[in-house]
Amino acid sequence: MSQQNEKTQESSYVKEVLGDLNIDVETLEPIDKEKSIEYVKIDENPLDLLKTKEEKERELEREKRLKVVKSWAYLPMKTNGEKLLYGCGAAYLTGICGGGIYGFLKGWTKPQPVLNYKLRLNRALNLSTKYGPWAGNSMGALGLMYTSFDTMLNKIRKDEPNDYYNHVGAGFISGALYKSTAGLKVATLSGGIFAGMVALCGLGTKVIKDTKEKIKEKNEKY
Amino acid sequence: MKDPTKEPCPYRIINDCGSSFAMGAIGGGIFNAFKGFRNSPRGQKFSGMTTAIKTKAPISAGNFAVWGGLFAGVDCTLSNIRGKEDSWNSIWSGAITGGLLAMRSGPTTACASAVMGGVLLAVIEGVGHAINNANSSMYKPQPATIPEENKTN
């Protein structure tokens, strides 16, 4: 019994397993070099200031070797869920940092009757803990609504995925919902403001991209 | 050694912050909607619900986000200092965040909340390890059964 088993195992080559599948090297199409794979770049150190010279050189070599496409966002957002989490977190962190710094400076520079270091620090800390969470909470809620409506619109308008009108629409809906309890007029106004901000952001990035390409073309000509 | 199931380190802070904010916002919104609906007088149920959501959901979301963000930040710094990622990192970072957040209310409460945070994270990590072990024991390589004819000696 055992010898027979061994024989069957020996005779089972890859060809027999594959059966009638014909694999010729010539029929396999090579991957298109220009449109093949986009490597998503995820850094250990997101800030350029923290990198040493060796790390920068190594990275450049790697980019040349792998032909990394550099059209990535600053955060590794690949799916819609990741976009929601990263957008929400980034909005909350910027809100809490900006609000905290604003409150600290406001409390620190306020004129006082008695110049006392301890009192000054206490006032600055109190104001920063007052403004920071307020700004962070509202920014985070806006970011959560914006990203969720953006993915929703992306799912609904399947014909034109990643269209920029999606972002503008999501901005309008989230801005209107954020101020929906204050009345219709205020809601539409805040929605319009938020949508305008999103549209301005898109226009700005487009203009910067175009000018960069123009500068590149000019440099290549000369 | 890196944990492949988690995000890479500096980005993890933002991701954890965002996920805990979303969790707090949605959970706090639902909880406060029920609470506001029940506690408001008849005829003003809907407006009471909306005001309860509007005022209280962002606060709970912010508390969650502060916890998550601080936890991820301490976790990243600890893993960077020690050079490895294991359960002790998250247990210690839970204790440190618990202590840091209760720092203004005195040393005894800070110590108590630090111990609470450490125990909570230890329980979570222990349950995770137990589930992981139970799942991976299904795919353990079994020793091959050798037929009796083939046995030497």
Side-chain angles (χ1 to χ4, degrees):
Chain A
M1 280 293 285
S2 61
Q3 281 177 355
Q4 275 180 5
N5 265 332
E6 275 173 20
K7 268 185 185 177
T8 49
Q9 274 176 7
E10 272 177 19
S11 64
S12 64
Y13 289 115
V14 181
K15 246 185 184 176
E16 288 177 11
V17 174
L18 285 174
D20 295 332
L21 256 176
N22 257 328
I23 297 175
D24 285 330
V25 182
E26 291 173 3
T27 54
L28 289 174
E29 285 182 11
I31 303 165
D32 194 7
K33 271 186 182 175
E34 286 184 355
K35 291 182 180 178
S36 58
I37 306 160
E38 281 193 16
Y39 289 96
V40 177
K41 191 178 158 188
I42 299 172
D43 265 350
E44 296 269 309
N45 287 337
L47 302 173
D48 278 344
L49 297 171
L50 295 172
K51 281 176 192 164
T52 55
K53 265 193 176 178
E54 289 179 7
E55 277 181 334
K56 276 185 183 175
E57 282 174 7
R58 216 185 300 145
E59 211 168 74
L60 273 175
E61 269 183 24
R62 190 176 159 275
E63 277 167 18
K64 274 184 185 174
R65 201 176 69 242
L66 290 174
K67 290 175 185 170
V68 172
V69 181
K70 266 199 161 182
S71 62
W72 44 280
Y74 291 103
L75 298 169
M77 298 186 281
K78 281 159 276 175
T79 59
N80 278 330
E82 276 177 350
K83 195 175 75 185
L84 198 151
L85 298 186
Y86 275 116
C88 196
Y92 180 77
L93 284 178
T94 49
I96 203 166
C97 287
I101 289 166
Y102 171 74
F104 193 89
L105 289 179
K106 198 179 177 187
W108 191 259
T109 54
K110 209 175 181 183
Q112 285 169 304
V114 187
L115 231 153
N116 193 348
Y117 175 76
K118 215 174 178 181
L119 272 177
R120 214 172 171 188
L121 186 71
N122 196 31
R123 179 176 288 166
L125 281 179
N126 275 343
L127 276 186
S128 75
T129 51
K130 184 188 163 192
Y131 280 106
W134 172 77
N137 285 341
S138 37
M139 284 277 284
L142 264 175
L144 182 65
M145 282 196 280
Y146 172 71
T147 41
S148 50
F149 280 122
D150 192 35
T151 51
M152 225 180 266
L153 281 177
N154 206 353
K155 287 270 162 63
I156 291 166
R157 296 177 73 227
K158 269 182 183 173
D159 303 330
E160 296 151 90
N162 298 321
D163 198 352
Y164 210 85
Y165 294 118
N166 278 347
H167 305 322
V168 178
F172 182 79
I173 296 171
S174 53
L177 193 68
Y178 186 71
K179 280 280 174 190
S180 60
T181 49
L184 202 69
K185 212 174 173 183
V186 181
T188 45
L189 194 74
S190 76
I193 288 168
F194 202 64
M197 273 162 65
V198 172
L200 265 181
C201 221
L203 277 178
T205 47
K206 206 193 169 193
V207 165
I208 287 168
K209 223 179 183 179
D210 286 352
T211 47
K212 267 187 180 175
E213 279 180 2
K214 272 184 186 174
I215 288 165
K216 232 183 186 179
E217 279 179 8
K218 267 191 179 176
N219 283 336
E220 281 173 359
K221 271 183 184 175
Y222 293 118
Chain B
M1 213 185 100
K2 278 183 179 171
D3 197 344
T5 55
K6 289 177 182 172
E7 301 278 321
C9 222
Y11 302 108
R12 197 198 297 165
I13 302 169
I14 300 171
N15 195 337
D16 272 19
C17 200
S19 61
S20 44
F21 186 90
M23 217 156 60
I26 294 165
I30 293 167
F31 181 75
N32 283 311
F34 273 110
K35 217 176 169 185
F37 189 79
R38 240 182 49 180
N39 288 341
S40 47
R42 197 169 292 165
Q44 295 175 343
K45 293 263 184 199
F46 189 72
S47 62
M49 195 172 80
T50 47
T51 47
I53 292 170
K54 204 175 74 180
T55 52
K56 278 168 190 168
I59 292 168
S60 72
N63 290 339
F64 264 76
V66 163
W67 228 99
L70 257 182
F71 173 76
V74 175
D75 197 13
C76 273
T77 44
L78 276 181
S79 72
N80 209 356
I81 289 165
R82 293 178 64 216
K84 55 183 175 181
E85 291 191 1
D86 52 1
S87 312
W88 286 110
N89 267 350
S90 49
I91 292 169
W92 273 112
S93 54
I96 289 168
T97 36
L100 273 177
L101 286 179
M103 214 162 66
R104 285 188 85 178
S105 49
T108 48
T109 40
C111 280
S113 73
V115 169
M116 272 297 293
V119 167
L120 195 76
L121 259 296
V123 166
I124 290 170
E125 286 290 320
V127 169
H129 266 288
I131 290 169
N132 203 5
N133 276 341
N135 280 339
S136 61
S137 66
M138 278 188 225
Y139 306 111
K140 249 181 195 170
Q142 298 288 330
T145 50
I146 304 163
E148 286 183 8
E149 299 167 25
N150 240 9
K151 271 180 184 172
T152 49
N153 314 329

